[in-house]
């Protein structure tokens, strides 16, 4: 399960299954916001480039790379099939575009591993569910 | 698929309810708690660890508590992985089942009726968590159902002007900072767990839950006036300390402080971005939850947006009560 929240322009994304959490600011917060809105990459690049006043082709290439990073961290799943209007944080409007990066924190993993929690399948308990983010 | 959970819940609850002969009611913060069980002593032990609250604003939580003498272990529908200390969660349409191997307890949680069934292997020797912080899993869950509020991972102290929440990652010093205020002019609402809820205008209120607080031997050395209030030595080398009995009151949250330790300079209040506070309290609360994660996160996020956020930089716990008293006075003079 991934929970995300935006506060004062900073995005927090948390994987509750493994204790990792991520901070994204500026262009990364913009990239996260447009990508999880479910827009296709061209629409996402257009929205992000307009927000930052940046070249759309550069933004598009950066978004593609950033998407791969988020998929690798299992913060997003491909083709989620939902679409909503992206609420890009106002704090970053007009801020120069830069390659989106996140900061990853793992200091809570010890706490989680102290008492690990597993979802189990409703049918045939106690088989442990496959470890897929939702 | 999920009907399997609900069906097994029905069978388990029927068996549990058939054994209960005693009842008792308590009030925890805004939450009425109705206990039922087959041992009057067990219900009394649970109640005496819960700190009385005010108001009656949440729908009641009913808890039926049983052990293996009345409901044999082979009736438990999920394996208790005590050796691995793992928690298993199964969700039905109406019911969530939680087998907590770390706390050696099994729970069935009925969302529609606000009914929790707690099963322990042996009520005569309850697991440590249920002994010192009974029902915390059920209270966390029920707070999240309907987004009433949350049981969050924070210390809290209160004065006449309201409450200050103390948040931070494990080991940051929030329990020690909170407990340094015990038996002073400030009231300690909790060392690391507190219920929060919200008025209709979004104002957050903090409510105490438990009468005992946990302190490490090192923290007890730093706060020597608490030695006379140690109730007993608990697990993991921590001491259980009685919190002072104060009359129940309404404690609006006036500030949230991210606790940090720094020997350079006196104990002080500094500015702190809200995102840092949310990281500390939201993330550490989330990872203690087997249920109601989304609702608890939303309540915690709302909380952080509802009050000024600061950094409490602590040189020595003995300096904390004066600093927090000054902060409350400053807030009180601004809001008057």
């Amino acid at each position: 399960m991934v929970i995300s929240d935006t506060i004062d322009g900073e995005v927090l994304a948390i994987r509750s299954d493994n204790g990792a959490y991520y901070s994204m600011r500026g262009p990364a917060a913009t990239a996260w916001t447009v990508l999880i809105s479910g827009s296709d990459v061209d629409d996402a690049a257009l929205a992000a480039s307009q927000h930052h006043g940046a070249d759309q082709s550069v933004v598009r290439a950066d978004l593609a790379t950033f998407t791969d990073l988020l998929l690798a961290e299992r913060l997003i799943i491909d083709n989620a099939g939902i679409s909503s209007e992206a609420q890009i944080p106002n704090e970053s409007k007009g801020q120069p575009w830069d390659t989106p990066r996140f900061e990853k924190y793992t200091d809570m993993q010890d706490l989680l591993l102290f008492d690990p929690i597993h979802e189990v399948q409703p049918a045939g308990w106690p088989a442990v569910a496959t470890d897929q983010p939702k | 698929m999920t009907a399997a959970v609900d069906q097994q819940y029905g069978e388990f609850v029927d068996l549990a309810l058939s054994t209960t002969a005693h009842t008792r009611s308590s009030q925890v913060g805004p939450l009425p708690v109705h206990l039922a069980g087959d041992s009057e002593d067990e219900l009394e032990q649970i109640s005496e660890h819960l700190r009385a609250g005010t108001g009656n604003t949440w729908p009641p939580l009913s808890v039926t508590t049983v052990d293996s003498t009345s409901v044999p272990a082979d009736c438990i529908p999920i394996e208790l992985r005590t050796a691995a200390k793992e928690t298993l969660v199964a969700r039905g349409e109406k019911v969530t089942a939680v087998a907590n191997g770390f706390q050696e307890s099994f729970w069935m949680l009925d969302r529609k009726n606000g009914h929790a069934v707690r099963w322990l292997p042996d009520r005569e020797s309850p697991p440590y968590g249920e002994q010192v912080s009974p029902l915390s899993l059920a209270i966390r869950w029920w707070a999240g159902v309907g987004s009433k509020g949350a049981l969050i991972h924070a210390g809290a102290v209160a004065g006449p002007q309201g409450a200050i929440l103390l948040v931070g990652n494990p080991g940051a010093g929030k329990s020690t900072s909170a407990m340094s205020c015990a038996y002073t002019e400030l009231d300690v609402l909790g060392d690391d767990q507190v219920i929060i809820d919200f008025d209709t205008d979004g104002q957050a209120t903090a409510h105490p839950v438990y009468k005992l607080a946990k302190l490490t031997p090192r923290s007890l050395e730093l706060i020597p006036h608490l030695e006379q209030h140690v109730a007993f030595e608990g697990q993991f080398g921590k001491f259980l300390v009685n919190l002072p009995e104060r009359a129940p009151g309404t404690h609006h949250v006036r500030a949230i402080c991210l606790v940090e330790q720094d020997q350079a300079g006196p104990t002080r209040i500094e500015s702190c971005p809200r995102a840092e506070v949310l990281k500390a309290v939201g993330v550490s609360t989330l990872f203690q939850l087997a249920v109601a994660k989304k609702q608890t996160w939303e309540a915690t996020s709302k909380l952080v947006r509802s009050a000024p956020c600061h950094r409490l930089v602590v040189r020595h716990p003995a300096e904390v009560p004066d600093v927090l008293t000054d902060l409350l006075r400053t807030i009180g003079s601004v809001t008057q």
Side-chain angles (χ1 to χ4, degrees):
Chain A
M1 180 180 185
V2 175
I3 289 175
S4 73
D5 204 343
T6 305
I7 186 164
D8 294 344
E10 180 175 349
V11 169
L12 300 176
I14 302 147
R15 269 186 64 177
S16 65
D17 61 332
N18 71 355
Y21 60 104
Y22 304 76
S23 166
M24 303 173 221
R25 298 184 182 89
T30 301
W32 170 267
T33 306
V34 296
L35 289 171
I36 66 163
S37 73
S39 306
D40 68 40
V41 70
D42 289 325
D43 289 345
L46 177 62
S49 62
Q50 287 178 341
H51 186 77
H52 288 273
D55 184 283
Q56 189 176 343
S57 62
V58 173
V59 172
R60 191 186 190 290
D62 283 344
L63 288 182
T65 305
F66 195 57
T67 300
D68 290 341
L69 292 173
L70 297 176
L71 284 167
E73 295 292 329
R74 302 176 71 183
L75 285 172
I76 59 173
I77 52 176
D78 202 7
N79 194 20
I82 54 169
S83 182
S84 60
E85 188 178 348
Q87 301 290 325
I88 304 174
N90 281 331
E91 287 83 350
S92 60
K93 188 165 183 62
Q95 194 179 97
W97 179 260
D98 195 5
T99 305
R101 295 183 182 87
F102 52 70
E103 293 172 59
K104 180 178 180 180
Y105 299 88
T106 57
D107 53 306
M108 284 291 170
Q109 285 186 330
D110 287 348
L111 183 67
L112 190 71
L113 294 174
F114 201 56
D115 179 13
I117 298 167
H118 303 289
E119 298 282 330
V120 295
Q121 304 284 10
W125 328 345
V128 176
T130 53
D131 185 21
Q132 294 293 328
K134 295 168 188 155
Chain B
M1 295 279 279
T2 54
V5 180
D6 296 326
Q7 182 182 342
Q8 282 177 288
Y9 168 78
E11 294 165 2
F12 180 84
V13 169
D14 286 347
L15 187 57
L17 288 178
S18 68
T19 69
T20 57
H22 303 281
T23 60
R24 182 180 278 258
S25 292
S26 300
Q27 178 79 25
V28 184
L31 175 63
V33 179
H34 301 314
L35 295 167
D38 50 3
S39 163
E40 197 162 13
D41 288 345
E42 183 186 25
L43 301 189
E44 186 174 340
Q45 284 170 10
I46 293 172
S47 297
E48 72 182 14
H49 281 90
L50 301 174
R51 192 160 152 187
T54 55
N56 192 11
T57 56
W58 288 7
L61 169 66
S62 299
V63 180
T64 301
T65 177
V66 294
D67 77 351
S68 59
T69 58
S70 53
V71 180
D74 59 10
C75 295
I76 303 304
I78 308 182
E79 176 190 4
L80 268 180
R81 298 192 178 180
T82 53
K85 299 190 183 304
E86 290 181 335
T87 294
L88 302 184
V89 181
R91 298 178 199 281
E93 291 174 5
K94 304 170 188 168
V95 169
T96 301
V98 181
N100 188 328
F102 185 73
Q103 295 289 352
E104 295 187 59
S105 60
F106 175 75
W107 293 85
M108 280 288 203
L109 308 167
D110 178 344
R111 293 186 287 278
K112 183 179 177 187
N113 298 310
H115 186 204
V117 178
R118 183 188 78 168
W119 180 92
L120 303 178
D122 179 7
R123 77 165 77 89
E124 299 297 331
S125 55
Y128 180 64
E130 285 301 313
Q131 191 182 352
V132 300
S133 308
L135 314 183
S136 67
L137 186 144
I139 294 171
R140 280 196 179 98
W141 161 73
W142 189 234
V145 174
S147 300
K148 296 182 281 289
L151 176 59
I152 64 166
H153 184 216
V157 302
Q161 302 87 349
I164 297 173
L165 299 185
L166 301 173
V167 306
N169 292 339
K174 60 185 177 303
S175 293
T176 306
S177 297
M179 289 304 291
S180 69
C181 301
Y183 302 95
T184 70
E185 289 184 3
L186 297 171
D187 187 12
V188 179
L189 306 182
D191 64 324
D192 73 347
Q193 294 189 80
V194 62
I195 289 176
I196 53 150
D197 65 356
F198 300 91
D199 298 347
T200 51
D201 62 357
Q203 169 69 59
T205 301
H207 305 272
V209 187
Y210 298 115
K211 292 181 180 175
L212 288 173
K214 298 177 280 292
L215 274 185
T216 63
R218 172 64 181 151
S219 296
L220 200 55
E221 279 179 23
L222 293 169
I223 321 170
H225 75 271
L226 294 183
E227 282 182 13
Q228 61 182 307
H229 301 290
V230 171
F232 58 92
E233 187 174 348
Q235 284 186 345
F236 315 117
K238 291 191 175 181
F239 292 97
L240 279 297
V241 179
N242 288 308
L243 290 172
E245 295 277 354
R246 298 279 177 96
T250 299
H251 308 289
H252 290 141
V253 177
R254 300 301 186 194
I256 309 172
C257 290
L258 178 67
V259 179
E260 292 181 1
Q261 298 177 49
D262 182 9
Q263 301 304 309
T267 298
R268 59 197 180 274
I269 297 291
E270 296 180 349
S271 62
C272 184
R274 287 182 195 276
E276 277 196 53
V277 171
L278 182 58
K279 271 182 225 167
V281 62
V283 174
S284 65
T285 296
L286 191 72
F287 290 140
Q288 295 187 343
L289 295 174
V291 289
K293 294 183 184 198
K294 182 170 180 288
Q295 297 92 333
T296 303
W297 176 269
E298 288 170 352
T300 311
S301 177
K302 185 176 177 181
L303 166 73
V304 171
R305 294 162 205 269
S306 75
C309 292
H310 306 280
R311 198 183 308 275
L312 172 64
V313 184
V314 179
R315 178 173 64 182
H316 192 285
E319 299 170 344
V320 169
D322 284 345
V323 171
L324 294 185
T325 299
D326 284 348
L327 178 60
L328 278 170
R329 283 189 185 132
T330 304
I331 293 167
S333 65
V334 169
T335 55
Q336 278 173 2

